[in-house]
PDB file of all heavy atoms in Angstrom:
ATOM      1  N   ALA A 349      90.418  62.680 107.888  1.00  0.00           N
ATOM      2  CA  ALA A 349      91.675  63.124 107.282  1.00  0.00           C
ATOM      3  C   ALA A 349      91.609  64.528 106.697  1.00  0.00           C
ATOM      4  O   ALA A 349      92.497  64.923 105.939  1.00  0.00           O
ATOM      5  CB  ALA A 349      92.089  62.141 106.188  1.00  0.00           C
ATOM      6  N   TRP A 367      94.380  57.985 102.368  1.00  0.00           N
ATOM      7  CA  TRP A 367      93.196  57.143 102.493  1.00  0.00           C
ATOM      8  C   TRP A 367      92.864  56.432 101.180  1.00  0.00           C
ATOM      9  O   TRP A 367      93.236  56.869 100.101  1.00  0.00           O
ATOM     10  CB  TRP A 367      91.993  57.953 102.971  1.00  0.00           C
ATOM     11  CG  TRP A 367      91.570  59.090 102.070  1.00  0.00           C
ATOM     12  CD1 TRP A 367      92.035  60.381 102.115  1.00  0.00           C
ATOM     13  CD2 TRP A 367      90.610  59.053 101.014  1.00  0.00           C
ATOM     14  NE1 TRP A 367      91.404  61.131 101.146  1.00  0.00           N
ATOM     15  CE2 TRP A 367      90.527  60.347 100.467  1.00  0.00           C
ATOM     16  CE3 TRP A 367      89.795  58.039 100.500  1.00  0.00           C
ATOM     17  CZ2 TRP A 367      89.674  60.658  99.413  1.00  0.00           C
ATOM     18  CZ3 TRP A 367      88.941  58.347  99.435  1.00  0.00           C
ATOM     19  CH2 TRP A 367      88.891  59.646  98.911  1.00  0.00           C
ATOM     20  N   GLU A 374      74.941  49.401  97.510  1.00  0.00           N
ATOM     21  CA  GLU A 374      74.279  49.827  96.279  1.00  0.00           C
ATOM     22  C   GLU A 374      73.104  50.705  96.694  1.00  0.00           C
ATOM     23  O   GLU A 374      72.103  50.200  97.202  1.00  0.00           O
ATOM     24  CB  GLU A 374      73.794  48.626  95.471  1.00  0.00           C
ATOM     25  CG  GLU A 374      73.164  48.988  94.137  1.00  0.00           C
ATOM     26  CD  GLU A 374      74.158  49.606  93.176  1.00  0.00           C
ATOM     27  OE1 GLU A 374      75.309  49.150  93.125  1.00  0.00           O
ATOM     28  OE2 GLU A 374      73.784  50.571  92.476  1.00  0.00           O
ATOM     29  N   ALA A 381      77.879  39.641 101.535  1.00  0.00           N
ATOM     30  CA  ALA A 381      78.910  39.428 100.518  1.00  0.00           C
ATOM     31  C   ALA A 381      79.630  40.725 100.162  1.00  0.00           C
ATOM     32  O   ALA A 381      80.859  40.740 100.012  1.00  0.00           O
ATOM     33  CB  ALA A 381      78.281  38.820  99.265  1.00  0.00           C
ATOM     34  N   PHE A 387      86.101  44.111 102.962  1.00  0.00           N
ATOM     35  CA  PHE A 387      87.076  43.733 103.979  1.00  0.00           C
ATOM     36  C   PHE A 387      88.239  42.985 103.337  1.00  0.00           C
ATOM     37  O   PHE A 387      89.407  43.200 103.661  1.00  0.00           O
ATOM     38  CB  PHE A 387      86.421  42.856 105.049  1.00  0.00           C
ATOM     39  CG  PHE A 387      85.694  43.616 106.126  1.00  0.00           C
ATOM     40  CD1 PHE A 387      84.480  43.146 106.621  1.00  0.00           C
ATOM     41  CD2 PHE A 387      86.211  44.780 106.665  1.00  0.00           C
ATOM     42  CE1 PHE A 387      83.806  43.820 107.631  1.00  0.00           C
ATOM     43  CE2 PHE A 387      85.553  45.467 107.668  1.00  0.00           C
ATOM     44  CZ  PHE A 387      84.347  44.991 108.153  1.00  0.00           C
ATOM     45  N   PRO A 401      96.934  41.513  94.070  1.00  0.00           N
ATOM     46  CA  PRO A 401      96.702  41.896  95.460  1.00  0.00           C
ATOM     47  C   PRO A 401      98.022  42.214  96.164  1.00  0.00           C
ATOM     48  O   PRO A 401      99.016  41.513  95.982  1.00  0.00           O
ATOM     49  CB  PRO A 401      96.034  40.656  96.063  1.00  0.00           C
ATOM     50  CG  PRO A 401      96.452  39.526  95.182  1.00  0.00           C
ATOM     51  CD  PRO A 401      96.565  40.103  93.805  1.00  0.00           C
ATOM     52  N   SER A 413      81.076  52.930 108.996  1.00  0.00           N
ATOM     53  CA  SER A 413      79.870  53.636 109.453  1.00  0.00           C
ATOM     54  C   SER A 413      78.638  52.995 108.819  1.00  0.00           C
ATOM     55  O   SER A 413      77.868  53.645 108.114  1.00  0.00           O
ATOM     56  CB  SER A 413      79.961  55.125 109.101  1.00  0.00           C
ATOM     57  OG  SER A 413      80.942  55.757 109.868  1.00  0.00           O
ATOM     58  N   TRP A 414      78.482  51.699 109.045  1.00  0.00           N
ATOM     59  CA  TRP A 414      77.361  50.957 108.467  1.00  0.00           C
ATOM     60  C   TRP A 414      76.994  49.820 109.413  1.00  0.00           C
ATOM     61  O   TRP A 414      77.753  49.473 110.318  1.00  0.00           O
ATOM     62  CB  TRP A 414      77.719  50.391 107.090  1.00  0.00           C
ATOM     63  CG  TRP A 414      78.978  49.577 107.061  1.00  0.00           C
ATOM     64  CD1 TRP A 414      80.234  50.028 106.771  1.00  0.00           C
ATOM     65  CD2 TRP A 414      79.125  48.184 107.370  1.00  0.00           C
ATOM     66  NE1 TRP A 414      81.151  49.001 106.875  1.00  0.00           N
ATOM     67  CE2 TRP A 414      80.499  47.856 107.246  1.00  0.00           C
ATOM     68  CE3 TRP A 414      78.226  47.183 107.740  1.00  0.00           C
ATOM     69  CZ2 TRP A 414      80.991  46.577 107.479  1.00  0.00           C
ATOM     70  CZ3 TRP A 414      78.721  45.892 107.971  1.00  0.00           C
ATOM     71  CH2 TRP A 414      80.090  45.610 107.837  1.00  0.00           C
ATOM     72  N   MET A 430      81.196  36.646 109.200  1.00  0.00           N
ATOM     73  CA  MET A 430      81.688  38.016 109.198  1.00  0.00           C
ATOM     74  C   MET A 430      82.621  38.260 110.382  1.00  0.00           C
ATOM     75  O   MET A 430      83.610  38.994 110.270  1.00  0.00           O
ATOM     76  CB  MET A 430      80.534  39.024 109.205  1.00  0.00           C
ATOM     77  CG  MET A 430      81.018  40.456 108.975  1.00  0.00           C
ATOM     78  SD  MET A 430      79.705  41.683 108.845  1.00  0.00           S
ATOM     79  CE  MET A 430      78.994  41.247 107.268  1.00  0.00           C
ATOM     80  N   GLY A 441      96.793  43.158 111.687  1.00  0.00           N
ATOM     81  CA  GLY A 441      97.296  44.445 112.161  1.00  0.00           C
ATOM     82  C   GLY A 441      96.460  45.641 111.765  1.00  0.00           C
ATOM     83  O   GLY A 441      96.932  46.783 111.821  1.00  0.00           O
ATOM     84  N   CYS A 455      68.834  49.658 126.423  1.00  0.00           N
ATOM     85  CA  CYS A 455      69.999  48.795 126.605  1.00  0.00           C
ATOM     86  C   CYS A 455      70.042  47.712 125.527  1.00  0.00           C
ATOM     87  O   CYS A 455      69.012  47.373 124.927  1.00  0.00           O
ATOM     88  CB  CYS A 455      69.966  48.146 127.981  1.00  0.00           C
ATOM     89  SG  CYS A 455      70.038  49.301 129.367  1.00  0.00           S
ATOM     90  N   PRO A 461      75.952  43.328 113.125  1.00  0.00           N
ATOM     91  CA  PRO A 461      77.352  43.309 112.698  1.00  0.00           C
ATOM     92  C   PRO A 461      77.709  44.634 112.018  1.00  0.00           C
ATOM     93  O   PRO A 461      76.833  45.258 111.420  1.00  0.00           O
ATOM     94  CB  PRO A 461      77.395  42.160 111.686  1.00  0.00           C
ATOM     95  CG  PRO A 461      76.154  41.371 111.940  1.00  0.00           C
ATOM     96  CD  PRO A 461      75.137  42.334 112.420  1.00  0.00           C
ATOM     97  N   GLU A 467      86.165  41.641 118.122  1.00  0.00           N
ATOM     98  CA  GLU A 467      87.318  42.150 117.388  1.00  0.00           C
ATOM     99  C   GLU A 467      87.082  43.546 116.815  1.00  0.00           C
ATOM    100  O   GLU A 467      88.028  44.181 116.324  1.00  0.00           O
ATOM    101  CB  GLU A 467      87.674  41.191 116.246  1.00  0.00           C
ATOM    102  CG  GLU A 467      88.137  39.826 116.707  1.00  0.00           C
ATOM    103  CD  GLU A 467      87.001  38.883 117.091  1.00  0.00           C
ATOM    104  OE1 GLU A 467      85.818  39.244 116.896  1.00  0.00           O
ATOM    105  OE2 GLU A 467      87.304  37.773 117.579  1.00  0.00           O
ATOM    106  N   THR A 479      77.791  64.592 127.072  1.00  0.00           N
ATOM    107  CA  THR A 479      76.744  63.653 127.476  1.00  0.00           C
ATOM    108  C   THR A 479      76.376  62.765 126.293  1.00  0.00           C
ATOM    109  O   THR A 479      76.450  63.171 125.128  1.00  0.00           O
ATOM    110  CB  THR A 479      75.496  64.387 127.972  1.00  0.00           C
ATOM    111  OG1 THR A 479      74.996  65.234 126.922  1.00  0.00           O
ATOM    112  CG2 THR A 479      75.818  65.224 129.199  1.00  0.00           C
ATOM    113  N   SER A 502      83.401  56.350 123.251  1.00  0.00           N
ATOM    114  CA  SER A 502      82.471  57.260 122.572  1.00  0.00           C
ATOM    115  C   SER A 502      83.252  58.448 122.025  1.00  0.00           C
ATOM    116  O   SER A 502      84.371  58.737 122.461  1.00  0.00           O
ATOM    117  CB  SER A 502      81.389  57.734 123.546  1.00  0.00           C
ATOM    118  OG  SER A 502      80.632  56.640 124.033  1.00  0.00           O
ATOM    119  N   ARG A 513      80.253  66.608  99.289  1.00  0.00           N
ATOM    120  CA  ARG A 513      80.644  66.694  97.887  1.00  0.00           C
ATOM    121  C   ARG A 513      80.636  68.133  97.375  1.00  0.00           C
ATOM    122  O   ARG A 513      80.009  69.010  97.946  1.00  0.00           O
ATOM    123  CB  ARG A 513      79.723  65.828  97.024  1.00  0.00           C
ATOM    124  CG  ARG A 513      79.923  64.340  97.265  1.00  0.00           C
ATOM    125  CD  ARG A 513      79.064  63.517  96.312  1.00  0.00           C
ATOM    126  NE  ARG A 513      77.644  63.722  96.541  1.00  0.00           N
ATOM    127  CZ  ARG A 513      76.682  63.161  95.819  1.00  0.00           C
ATOM    128  NH1 ARG A 513      77.004  62.368  94.822  1.00  0.00           N
ATOM    129  NH2 ARG A 513      75.425  63.372  96.100  1.00  0.00           N
ATOM    130  N   SER A 521      74.564  64.296 112.310  1.00  0.00           N
ATOM    131  CA  SER A 521      74.595  63.619 113.604  1.00  0.00           C
ATOM    132  C   SER A 521      74.444  62.117 113.407  1.00  0.00           C
ATOM    133  O   SER A 521      73.807  61.663 112.455  1.00  0.00           O
ATOM    134  CB  SER A 521      73.469  64.131 114.514  1.00  0.00           C
ATOM    135  OG  SER A 521      73.605  65.518 114.768  1.00  0.00           O
ATOM    136  N   GLY A 522      75.017  61.345 114.317  1.00  0.00           N
ATOM    137  CA  GLY A 522      74.921  59.897 114.268  1.00  0.00           C
ATOM    138  C   GLY A 522      76.212  59.260 114.761  1.00  0.00           C
ATOM    139  O   GLY A 522      77.258  59.918 114.811  1.00  0.00           O
ATOM    140  N   GLY A 527      82.364  57.513 114.804  1.00  0.00           N
ATOM    141  CA  GLY A 527      83.368  56.533 114.416  1.00  0.00           C
ATOM    142  C   GLY A 527      84.570  57.131 113.705  1.00  0.00           C
ATOM    143  O   GLY A 527      85.721  56.796 114.038  1.00  0.00           O
ATOM    144  N   GLN A 547      99.934  47.191 115.698  1.00  0.00           N
ATOM    145  CA  GLN A 547      99.757  46.746 117.090  1.00  0.00           C
ATOM    146  C   GLN A 547      98.336  47.084 117.549  1.00  0.00           C
ATOM    147  O   GLN A 547      98.110  48.020 118.320  1.00  0.00           O
ATOM    148  CB  GLN A 547     100.805  47.415 117.988  1.00  0.00           C
ATOM    149  CG  GLN A 547     102.229  47.212 117.536  1.00  0.00           C
ATOM    150  CD  GLN A 547     102.609  45.732 117.468  1.00  0.00           C
ATOM    151  OE1 GLN A 547     102.319  44.952 118.385  1.00  0.00           O
ATOM    152  NE2 GLN A 547     103.251  45.333 116.380  1.00  0.00           N
ATOM    153  N   ILE A 554      95.393  51.995 124.397  1.00  0.00           N
ATOM    154  CA  ILE A 554      95.757  53.407 124.601  1.00  0.00           C
ATOM    155  C   ILE A 554      94.519  54.284 124.537  1.00  0.00           C
ATOM    156  O   ILE A 554      94.301  55.153 125.389  1.00  0.00           O
ATOM    157  CB  ILE A 554      96.786  53.851 123.549  1.00  0.00           C
ATOM    158  CG1 ILE A 554      98.141  53.206 123.814  1.00  0.00           C
ATOM    159  CG2 ILE A 554      96.919  55.377 123.539  1.00  0.00           C
ATOM    160  CD1 ILE A 554      99.160  53.453 122.720  1.00  0.00           C
ATOM    161  N   TYR A 583      84.480  53.073 127.755  1.00  0.00           N
ATOM    162  CA  TYR A 583      85.500  53.610 128.656  1.00  0.00           C
ATOM    163  C   TYR A 583      85.402  55.119 128.801  1.00  0.00           C
ATOM    164  O   TYR A 583      86.056  55.702 129.667  1.00  0.00           O
ATOM    165  CB  TYR A 583      86.900  53.239 128.162  1.00  0.00           C
ATOM    166  CG  TYR A 583      87.303  51.829 128.528  1.00  0.00           C
ATOM    167  CD1 TYR A 583      86.940  50.744 127.727  1.00  0.00           C
ATOM    168  CD2 TYR A 583      88.034  51.566 129.675  1.00  0.00           C
ATOM    169  CE1 TYR A 583      87.307  49.446 128.055  1.00  0.00           C
ATOM    170  CE2 TYR A 583      88.404  50.269 130.017  1.00  0.00           C
ATOM    171  CZ  TYR A 583      88.032  49.221 129.211  1.00  0.00           C
ATOM    172  OH  TYR A 583      88.393  47.939 129.547  1.00  0.00           O
ATOM    173  N   ALA A 591      95.836  60.563 124.348  1.00  0.00           N
ATOM    174  CA  ALA A 591      96.212  59.331 123.664  1.00  0.00           C
ATOM    175  C   ALA A 591      97.561  59.486 122.965  1.00  0.00           C
ATOM    176  O   ALA A 591      98.404  58.578 123.012  1.00  0.00           O
ATOM    177  CB  ALA A 591      95.129  58.932 122.663  1.00  0.00           C
ATOM    178  N   ALA A 595     101.068  57.498 123.557  1.00  0.00           N
ATOM    179  CA  ALA A 595     101.810  56.845 122.479  1.00  0.00           C
ATOM    180  C   ALA A 595     103.272  57.277 122.493  1.00  0.00           C
ATOM    181  O   ALA A 595     104.173  56.452 122.291  1.00  0.00           O
ATOM    182  CB  ALA A 595     101.172  57.174 121.128  1.00  0.00           C
ATOM    183  N   MET A 607     116.643  48.518 115.420  1.00  0.00           N
ATOM    184  CA  MET A 607     117.952  48.024 115.002  1.00  0.00           C
ATOM    185  C   MET A 607     117.854  47.689 113.534  1.00  0.00           C
ATOM    186  O   MET A 607     117.027  46.891 113.119  1.00  0.00           O
ATOM    187  CB  MET A 607     118.379  46.791 115.783  1.00  0.00           C
ATOM    188  CG  MET A 607     119.708  46.206 115.289  1.00  0.00           C
ATOM    189  SD  MET A 607     120.230  44.728 116.182  1.00  0.00           S
ATOM    190  CE  MET A 607     120.839  45.472 117.684  1.00  0.00           C
ATOM    191  N   PRO A 617     110.141  59.924 118.970  1.00  0.00           N
ATOM    192  CA  PRO A 617     110.567  60.967 118.036  1.00  0.00           C
ATOM    193  C   PRO A 617     111.866  61.634 118.483  1.00  0.00           C
ATOM    194  O   PRO A 617     112.189  61.624 119.658  1.00  0.00           O
ATOM    195  CB  PRO A 617     109.394  61.950 118.071  1.00  0.00           C
ATOM    196  CG  PRO A 617     108.836  61.794 119.439  1.00  0.00           C
ATOM    197  CD  PRO A 617     108.958  60.330 119.768  1.00  0.00           C
ATOM    198  N   ALA A 641     107.885  63.233 101.624  1.00  0.00           N
ATOM    199  CA  ALA A 641     107.676  63.207 100.180  1.00  0.00           C
ATOM    200  C   ALA A 641     108.687  62.318  99.470  1.00  0.00           C
ATOM    201  O   ALA A 641     108.642  62.171  98.249  1.00  0.00           O
ATOM    202  CB  ALA A 641     107.753  64.627  99.621  1.00  0.00           C
ATOM    203  N   TRP A 650     130.274  56.960 107.095  1.00  0.00           N
ATOM    204  CA  TRP A 650     131.389  56.668 107.985  1.00  0.00           C
ATOM    205  C   TRP A 650     132.208  55.543 107.336  1.00  0.00           C
ATOM    206  O   TRP A 650     131.913  54.346 107.510  1.00  0.00           O
ATOM    207  CB  TRP A 650     130.874  56.215 109.357  1.00  0.00           C
ATOM    208  CG  TRP A 650     130.169  57.296 110.128  1.00  0.00           C
ATOM    209  CD1 TRP A 650     130.719  58.151 111.037  1.00  0.00           C
ATOM    210  CD2 TRP A 650     128.777  57.615 110.075  1.00  0.00           C
ATOM    211  NE1 TRP A 650     129.765  59.009 111.550  1.00  0.00           N
ATOM    212  CE2 TRP A 650     128.559  58.704 110.974  1.00  0.00           C
ATOM    213  CE3 TRP A 650     127.689  57.129 109.348  1.00  0.00           C
ATOM    214  CZ2 TRP A 650     127.307  59.275 111.166  1.00  0.00           C
ATOM    215  CZ3 TRP A 650     126.451  57.700 109.532  1.00  0.00           C
ATOM    216  CH2 TRP A 650     126.260  58.763 110.429  1.00  0.00           C
TER     217      TRP A 650
END
Side-chain angles (χ1 to χ4, degrees):
W367 60 271
E374 183 65 40
F387 277 140
S413 291
W414 53 267
M430 189 176 290
C455 298
E467 295 80 6
T479 59
S502 299
R513 291 184 296 178
S521 299
Q547 305 301 314
I554 289 173
Y583 280 85
M607 176 181 283
W650 293 268

